[in-house]
Amino acid sequence: FSGLVGQIWMYRKQSQIMSESLRISAQQAKAAELAAIASQQSSDALMNGDRAWITVESAIPSPKLYPLWEGSGPVPTDPNSLNPFSHGFPAIIKNVGKTPARVEEVYIQYLLLDQKPGSLPEEPNYAGVLNEQSFLLSPNQDTSVLAFLSTSGGLLTMNQANAIYSQQAFLYAYGVVKYKDVYDREHETRFGYVYDFPQGGLINFEQ
């Protein structure tokens, strides 16, 4: 009987040792997991601090409209209104980060709509690639791209221009630039501008 009691005690002791060993192993595994997460976060922070950052701005903050003279009314004094003038949105794409960026795709839409800014869908339609050929942008380097108005030939009639002046119609420029940083990570910059024409004021692009 005493031998049986000794065996039971030994089994219990072994079980306790095994449980303690498993507990220590679990703690070590958790510590290793936390260390790996901390290391990844530190690495991500380092890469984010050194990565490329792309911005997109309007090259002309206050552009002018040149509605096409259609043969009625006073003859415009500006020669641009006497000849077909294609309106475009000139955008400046700039790398404001610390390392080069490879721009993969540029989408820009320049539209005339009768919808007010607050009534537009949350997810714009980015159909239509303006530039499919990738190119590099070094830190503080920029490049310009031009998207023409979606109206016929990019032209504006006098009625369309008057609708913009009276806030019955709006000019929108929006898009997305997709690019990669030096760590081969994918990023995108989305942007949107609308003509703001306060009564008695100048036309300005508002982001």
Side-chain angles (χ1 to χ4, degrees), residues 62-162:
S62 185
K64 186 176 180 180
L65 302 183
Y66 296 100
L68 183 65
W69 184 60
E70 299 170 288
S72 60
V75 178
T77 57
D78 195 315
N80 287 318
S81 294
L82 294 174
N83 301 303
F85 185 91
S86 296
H87 293 77
F89 174 78
I92 298 177
I93 301 174
K94 184 174 183 178
N95 180 8
V96 297
K98 296 181 179 180
T99 51
R102 176 171 291 279
V103 178
E104 301 286 341
E105 293 179 348
V106 178
Y107 302 77
I108 299 181
Q109 294 280 348
Y110 190 28
L111 307 173
L112 174 64
L113 301 174
D114 59 3
Q115 296 172 274
K116 294 185 177 181
S119 62
L120 293 176
E122 292 185 6
E123 185 67 20
N125 177 18
Y126 289 117
V129 182
L130 187 63
N131 189 341
E132 289 182 315
Q133 293 185 347
S134 63
F135 57 91
L136 285 175
L137 279 181
S138 300
N140 296 317
Q141 183 182 7
D142 61 55
T143 187
S144 299
V145 295
L146 180 65
F148 286 102
L149 191 60
S150 61
T151 57
S152 178
L155 305 177
L156 284 175
T157 66
M158 185 63 71
N159 287 336
Q160 289 173 326
N162 288 333

Side-chain angles (χ1 to χ4, degrees), residues 28-81:
Q28 291 175 339
K30 185 64 176 178
E33 180 183 357
L34 292 176
I37 293 174
S39 176
Q40 183 62 48
Q41 290 176 341
S42 177
S43 177
D44 290 343
L46 179 63
M47 288 190 292
N48 286 335
D50 290 337
R51 57 161 278 198
W53 292 88
I54 294 296
T55 61
V56 182
E57 296 183 354
S58 171
I60 305 176
S62 185
K64 186 176 180 180
L65 302 183
Y66 296 100
L68 183 65
W69 184 60
E70 299 170 288
S72 60
V75 178
T77 57
D78 195 315
N80 287 318
S81 294

